[in-house]
Amino acid sequence: DTGVSQNPRHKITKRGQNVTFRCDPISEHNRLYWYRQTLGQGPEFLTYFQNEAQLEKSRLLSDRFSAERPKGSFSTLEIQRTEQGDSAMYLCASSRTGTGADIQYFGAGTRLSVL
Amino acid sequence: GNSVTQMEGPVTLSEEAFLTINCTYTATGYPSLFWYVQYPGEGLQLLLKATKADDKGSNKGFEATYRKETTSFHLEKGSVQVSDSAVYFCALSDKNPGTASKLTFGTGTRLQVTL
């Protein structure tokens, strides 16, 4: 169990550029979640996958955001045409169903700065 | 919708002082409740949880009791240490299978413990 891994840890980009983040969940965890955390706030849910199926998306996830989990293992989150308001910490979490309270384990996050 | 309200920080305490961080929630049904901790530069870590009314979660000297009548889940520790300095997040997940246990977080409370 090596924990949830997110790459890159930091990303600086110019407004209008596209960015992609990767999340590698804990092996054998079938659920994968994306959250966004802005300064001084708690994380906010964006979307989640069960295996390779994306089953729920928040209203926060505009059309410029897309997430995939093609083989039910790692996931990517892409933001197209970035805006300054996209600057935040993007957190990934994973969990395994059937383990009681469905405890989510978080990665260290990818901090995005849009200039 | 679901929501979590935490006391605002920062909370500054001397080592060995008693800690209380208040958390109240609004949810439909009977959610699971969590406290997560975020140390500087690290990801969110689960500190403790409770899944039903009157359950007490505990870990590393921290405790919180699920109070349905007051919709609260206050975090307590009898004697804090400098190493407890971190940001603490209260969170809930409802048990509706359709929402897949996505977490709703409070805004976080920063704890600073001094010698």
Side-chain angles (χ1 to χ4, degrees), chain A residues 5-69:
Chain A
S5 176
Q6 292 190 246
N7 288 288
R9 291 294 304 273
H10 299 94
K11 178 70 177 179
I12 300 173
T13 190
K14 293 182 179 178
R15 190 176 52 187
Q17 298 294 304
N18 299 343
V19 294
T20 300
F21 312 140
R22 176 177 170 126
C23 171
D24 287 89
I26 294 171
S27 60
E28 298 179 357
H29 277 195
N30 58 336
R31 284 185 174 167
L32 187 148
Y33 300 78
W34 286 99
Y35 293 83
R36 181 171 66 188
Q37 185 178 17
T38 53
L39 201 61
Q41 300 297 314
E44 295 175 294
F45 169 79
L46 293 178
T47 188
Y48 106 93
F49 293 83
Q50 180 148 320
N51 301 312
E52 65 276 8
Q54 186 175 17
L55 297 184
E56 187 175 351
K57 294 195 291 187
S58 162
R59 305 189 291 275
L60 295 174
L61 214 63
S62 77
D63 292 344
R64 297 183 296 106
F65 288 70
S66 62
E68 295 183 342
R69 194 183 184 198

Side-chain angles (χ1 to χ4, degrees), chain B residues 82-103:
Chain B
V82 172
S83 58
D84 294 327
S85 298
V87 181
Y88 292 81
F89 291 93
C90 185
L92 68 82
S93 68
D94 62 45
K95 295 173 186 167
N96 181 348
T99 56
S101 304
K102 64 182 179 184
L103 291 166

Side-chain angles (χ1 to χ4, degrees), chain A residues 9 31 33 35 37 40-45 48 50 56 89 91 100-109, chain B residues 32 34 36 38 41-46 49 51 89 93 97-108:
Chain A
R9 291 294 304 273
R31 284 185 174 167
Y33 300 78
Y35 293 83
Q37 185 178 17
Q41 300 297 314
E44 295 175 294
F45 169 79
Y48 106 93
Q50 180 148 320
E56 187 175 351
M89 178 76 86
L91 300 172
D102 195 18
I103 294 169
Q104 295 180 32
Y105 296 85
F106 283 80
Chain B
S32 295
F34 306 85
Y36 279 83
Q38 189 171 36
E42 298 185 17
L44 288 162
Q45 300 175 24
L46 178 67
K49 65 175 175 66
T51 58
F89 291 93
S93 68
T99 56
S101 304
K102 64 182 179 184
L103 291 166
T104 300
F105 286 89
T107 55

